[in-house]
Amino acid sequence: MRIGILGTGVVGQTIGTKLVTLGHEVKMGSRAAGNAKAAGWVKAAARGASAGTFADAASFGEIMFNCTSGMASLDALRQAGPKNLDGKVLVDVANPLDFSKGMPPTLSVCNTDSLGEQIQRELPMARVVKSLNTVSAMVMVDPAIVPGDHAIYVCGNDTAAKAQVTDLLEKSFGWKTVIDLGDISAARATEMLLALWIRLMGTIKSPKFNFVVSRAP
Ligand SMILES: NC(=O)c1ccc[n+]([C@@H]2O[C@H](COP(=O)([O-])OP(=O)(O)OC[C@H]3O[C@@H](n4cnc5c(N)ncnc54)[C@H](OP(=O)(O)O)[C@@H]3O)[C@@H](O)[C@H]2O)c1
């Protein structure tokens, strides 16, 4: 499958590497062609990796991942070109973290709205599925590094898109428990989880963890 990744950071690189290792063709997009991080990733990754602008990646991908800085995601998606994303599944991994006032970051949107919803409103023809934003990059593609049965979430307005993403999470990334939280407004909940996630990382001094949902029978 042809997959487009918007973003050259650790998340884009980690997801991209996993996908080319599985035999997919992956194009990584950035603001400008010739981005050094993307070029380094192409060099290090398996066959099937390529790079270009956000628009190049968006026109290439049959399925897309938004791995851009949350504060810049709407700009990045405008650069990707809404027409290039029409009808496509867009997995939104970004968190709207605002580091402008130092640590810990705040959320630039929360409570009554979310980045996932902003993206779906900006791209009404795209099939946005929010997922993977509640774990660190290495856990996204290798959940077994954290012992036990821990969960990842999906939410979005398009049932078939969520089913496709769930299949990829289970069969390609190895997630055993994928919880469907409902429509895209559930992105408020998974993005606001970041306040706890960041505090926990500072306390337990590792990004290799996840939350467990444990329900009485
Ligand atoms: N790090 C993690 O483990 C983790 C876990 C869960 C979720 N997330 C979320 O995943 C996303 C990616 O995180 P990351 O750490 O891999 O990368 P990042 O540093 O947050 O974002 C890098 C990407 O954002 C783009 N970008 C930055 N400013 C921009 C602007 N003004 N306009 C357009 N694009 C801009 C960069 O474009 P260029 O390539 O052109 O420089 C780059 O591709 C973030 O939203 C983050 O909150 C991260």
Side-chain angles (χ1 to χ4, degrees):
M1 184 177 256
R2 290 195 317 275
I3 300 174
I5 304 244
L6 306 174
T8 58
V10 64
V11 175
Q13 296 204 18
T14 304
I15 292 175
T17 297
K18 179 75 175 189
L19 291 168
V20 287
T21 305
L22 292 167
H24 297 289
E25 287 179 75
V26 178
K27 191 178 284 291
M28 177 177 285
S30 56
R31 280 170 282 189
N35 177 289
K37 281 190 186 174
W41 171 76
V42 170
K43 209 171 164 192
R47 229 174 112 205
S50 63
T53 62
F54 286 136
D56 293 334
S59 58
F60 176 85
E62 297 165 275
I63 174 168
M64 298 296 305
F65 284 82
N66 174 37
C67 308
T68 59
S69 162
M71 294 285 284
S73 287
L74 292 176
D75 276 347
L77 289 161
R78 285 180 199 122
Q79 289 171 45
K83 283 269 171 280
N84 289 327
L85 298 164
D86 276 2
K88 292 183 182 173
V89 172
L90 172 63
V91 185
D92 176 31
V93 182
N95 283 307
L97 298 177
D98 180 356
F99 293 93
S100 64
K101 295 181 189 73
M103 290 294 284
T106 55
L107 293 169
S108 64
V109 54
C110 64
N111 291 327
T112 54
D113 200 1
S114 62
L115 179 61
E117 289 165 277
Q118 289 179 332
I119 290 173
Q120 185 63 85
R121 283 199 300 274
E122 181 74 25
L123 303 167
M125 303 301 283
R127 302 154 74 204
V128 179
V129 177
K130 187 98 200 180
S131 193
L132 293 171
N133 63 307
T134 54
V135 292
S136 62
M138 63 193 95
V139 178
M140 290 176 192
V141 300
D142 191 8
I145 62 171
V146 177
D149 184 15
H150 49 97
I152 199 72
Y153 314 103
V154 291
C155 67
N157 299 341
D158 186 307
T159 303
K162 283 192 287 190
Q164 192 180 343
V165 174
T166 298
D167 195 60
L168 184 139
L169 293 170
E170 290 174 346
K171 295 191 180 133
S172 298
F173 291 0
W175 283 94
K176 292 193 180 124
T177 305
V178 181
I179 300 178
D180 183 347
L181 294 174
D183 67 49
I184 193 63
S185 68
R188 298 173 196 179
T190 65
E191 291 171 13
M192 287 196 284
L193 203 53
L194 262 290
L196 177 58
W197 191 96
I198 288 164
R199 286 281 173 182
L200 269 171
M201 186 181 73
T203 304
I204 67 174
K205 307 211 183 309
S206 169
K208 294 186 202 171
F209 69 90
N210 195 9
F211 306 105
V212 173
V213 180
S214 188
R215 191 177 70 172

